[in-house]
Amino acid sequence: MRALPHRTAALTVSVLAALALVAAAPATVAASPTAATAPVAAGPVLTTGSTGGAAVAAGDALAAPLAGRSATFYSTATSTTGVTCATSRLSATVLTNPAAPGTATESLTGLTFGSCTANVTGVTSVRSLTVDTLPYGVSIADDAGLPVTLTGGSAGQIQATAVLNSWFGTITCTYRLSGAFTGAADNGGQGLTFTNEHFAKSGGSGLCPGDGYFSASYGPVTDTSQSGAPAVYVN
C-alpha cells in the first residue's frame, strides 16, 4: 500500500487531536458552574429606596403620616356617623427583617390623632381620640396583597378611647378590637391601608355608640433612622 504524503499525514494527526479535545470538553464544562446556575442570595422583606434596595435594619425607627384626607371611626361599616380626624401619624420600630420570602416584624410605638370632629347627635366637639395599651405587634408578609397584621402587646388588647364634649358634659367612650386588625401594604405609595377595623364598646357613657369602625391610610412609610428618611418597600 502506498504511504500517505507527509502533508496528508500531518493533517490527519491534527484532526485526531482536535477530536480528542472535543471529547474531553464536556467534563471540563460540567466541573465549572456558570453564573446562570450559581445560587442568588435572597433579599430582605423590607428595603429602602426601592424594591430590592438596601435592607432596613432591626432597630430602625419607621414613621408615616396620614395619606388620605382623614382617619375615621364610624359607628357602622357603611355609615358616615362618628369621629373624623384630619391628622394622624404612626410610628414603629423594626424588630426583625428576614430574607424574602418571609415576614418582617415591628413594634407599633405610636398612633396619634388630631383635628378631630364628630357628627354624633348630642356631641358638640372631640377632646381627644387615643389608641391605648401600646406598643402593639406588627407583622408584614411578602405574600400576595402584602398583608399587615396588628396584635395586642404586653399592655393588653388593642383599645381606643374617645373623650367627647356633649350636651350633657364630657363623656368617655372606650372600645376594644373585635377580631383581627388587618390591613395591606402598598409599594406604589409606600403606605399602609386599614379599612373598617371593627371595635366594640367596652366602657363609657350610654351615649357612646356600641361599635366603632376604623379606616385610614398612611404613607409614605419612611426609615427615619437613615439619612434622608428613605421610603420603605416590601419585597
Side-chain angles (χ1 to χ4, degrees):
M1 177 172 138
R2 187 165 60 87
L4 292 170
H6 175 72
R7 182 176 179 181
T8 303
L11 179 61
T12 302
V13 172
S14 298
V15 170
L16 292 174
L19 291 173
L21 289 174
V22 170
T28 303
V29 173
S32 301
T34 65
T37 59
V40 178
V45 173
L46 302 178
T47 56
T48 58
S50 65
T51 54
V56 175
D60 277 9
L62 308 183
L66 190 65
R69 294 180 59 185
S70 59
T72 58
F73 199 73
Y74 289 152
S75 57
T76 72
T78 57
S79 79
T80 56
T81 300
V83 174
T84 299
C85 297
T87 64
S88 183
R89 183 176 179 85
L90 63 79
S91 55
T93 301
V94 177
L95 300 179
T96 63
N97 186 21
T103 300
T105 61
E106 303 170 4
S107 175
L108 185 72
T109 54
L111 184 55
T112 60
F113 301 92
S115 300
C116 301
T117 58
N119 60 353
V120 179
T121 301
V123 175
T124 57
S125 63
V126 178
R127 286 198 175 188
S128 64
L129 176 63
T130 58
V131 173
D132 311 319
T133 63
L134 291 166
Y136 301 147
V138 182
S139 64
I140 303 177
D142 59 355
D143 299 335
L146 305 180
V148 177
T149 304
L150 273 64
T151 55
S154 58
Q157 190 175 353
I158 296 175
Q159 180 174 291
T161 299
V163 180
L164 311 171
N165 293 321
S166 77
W167 296 340
F168 309 99
T170 301
I171 61 173
T172 300
C173 307
T174 304
Y175 297 87
R176 287 183 179 171
L177 183 67
S178 176
F181 196 125
T182 57
D186 171 23
N187 281 331
Q190 301 85 54
L192 305 172
T193 298
F194 304 99
T195 304
N196 287 333
E197 301 306 309
H198 181 209
F199 287 74
K201 180 183 171 183
S202 58
S205 168
L207 298 176
C208 301
D211 297 278
Y213 289 81
F214 172 71
S215 297
S217 294
Y218 296 89
V221 178
T222 59
D223 187 338
T224 58
S225 293
Q226 301 301 317
S227 176
V232 176
Y233 291 76
V234 183
N235 296 273

